[in-house]
Amino acid sequence: MKMTVAVDGPAAAGKGTLSKALAAHFGFAHLDTGLLYRAVGAGVLAGGDPIKVAQTLEPAALDNPALRTQAVAEAASQIAVIAEVRQALVDFQRDFAARDGGAVLDGRDIGTVICPDATVKLFVTASAETRAERRYLELVNAGQAADRAAILQEVRARDDRDANRATAPLRPAVDSVTLDTSDLTADQARARAIAIISERMPQG
C-alpha cells in the first residue's frame, strides 16, 4: 500500500513526536525532513557551502546526534530560505514519500510543496509560548544550558522567517486538518491524529 501522511507545522509544535508515534502505530516509514536541513546546517557550520552540502547529502548524515543542538537549528532555519538548497532536498523527500508500505513525513512544506497529493495532511501547531517552553524543557532534559526568554525570542524569529520566506513559506495546505496541541498531551494529540488518518485510509 502506498499512503503518504504529511505533517506540517512550526518549530516545537510537537509534530516530530507525533509523526514518530503515527508511523509506529500504522507501520509506516518516518522521515523528519527538518533533519535534512539540520544536516545541511551542520555542514555549513563546519565550513561547507550550503548548496554543495545539500546536493551531496547522504542519509547517514541524519544520524548525527549533534543535529539536535540549538546552534544547528538556527543554521538550518537560515539556510532553509535558500531556494537551491530546498530544491536539492526535494527529490530525497519525494522518493521517500513514494515508497511502498506507507510513509509519514514531517516538516514545514510537506503538504503544500513536497507531497501536495498526500493522502492525509495535518497541520500541527501551538502557541509560541507553549512551543518555547517545550523547547526549553527539551534542552534542559538533555543537559544543555537554556534561557526561556531567549528561546521564545528565537521561536518567534523563526516563525517570522518561515512564514515570510519567498520559497515555500510555512502555511497550512488548503485541504489539511489543523491540530492545535497547545492544551493537548502527547497521548491526546496522537489519538486525534490516529482517528483522522484512520478515516481517510484506503478501504480494502
Side-chain angles (χ1 to χ4, degrees), residues 60-105:
L62 305 182
D63 297 327
N64 181 359
L67 300 185
R68 295 297 182 183
T69 65
Q70 193 65 21
V72 170
E74 279 299 297
S77 181
Q78 291 168 19
I79 61 92
V81 303
I82 303 172
E84 292 88 348
V85 168
R86 302 190 72 82
Q87 186 57 49
L89 300 177
V90 165
D91 288 343
F92 186 108
Q93 297 172 73
R94 287 179 174 164
D95 287 345
F96 187 94
R99 64 174 56 202
D100 288 325
V104 180
L105 289 79

Side-chain angles (χ1 to χ4, degrees), residues 3-20:
M3 180 173 178
T4 304
V5 179
V7 183
D8 291 310
K15 63 183 181 295
T17 300
L18 177 62
S19 296
K20 289 178 185 176

Side-chain angles (χ1 to χ4, degrees), residues 137-189:
L137 294 175
E138 180 182 287
L139 293 171
V140 169
N141 290 336
Q144 299 182 39
D147 179 270
R148 276 191 172 91
I151 292 172
L152 178 57
Q153 185 176 8
E154 289 166 1
V155 164
R156 287 174 171 161
R158 187 169 184 180
D159 285 352
D160 184 68
R161 278 200 303 272
D162 288 343
N164 293 297
R165 65 187 177 218
T167 303
L170 173 65
R171 61 182 51 133
V174 294
D175 54 348
S176 67
V177 178
T178 296
L179 184 60
D180 190 325
T181 67
S182 297
D183 299 315
L184 298 180
T185 65
D187 286 344
Q188 289 170 332

Side-chain angles (χ1 to χ4, degrees), residues 13 19-20 22 26 31 68 97 129 196 200:
S19 296
K20 289 178 185 176
L22 293 175
F26 290 105
L31 177 63
R68 295 297 182 183
E129 291 76 12
I196 292 167
R200 291 163 173 76

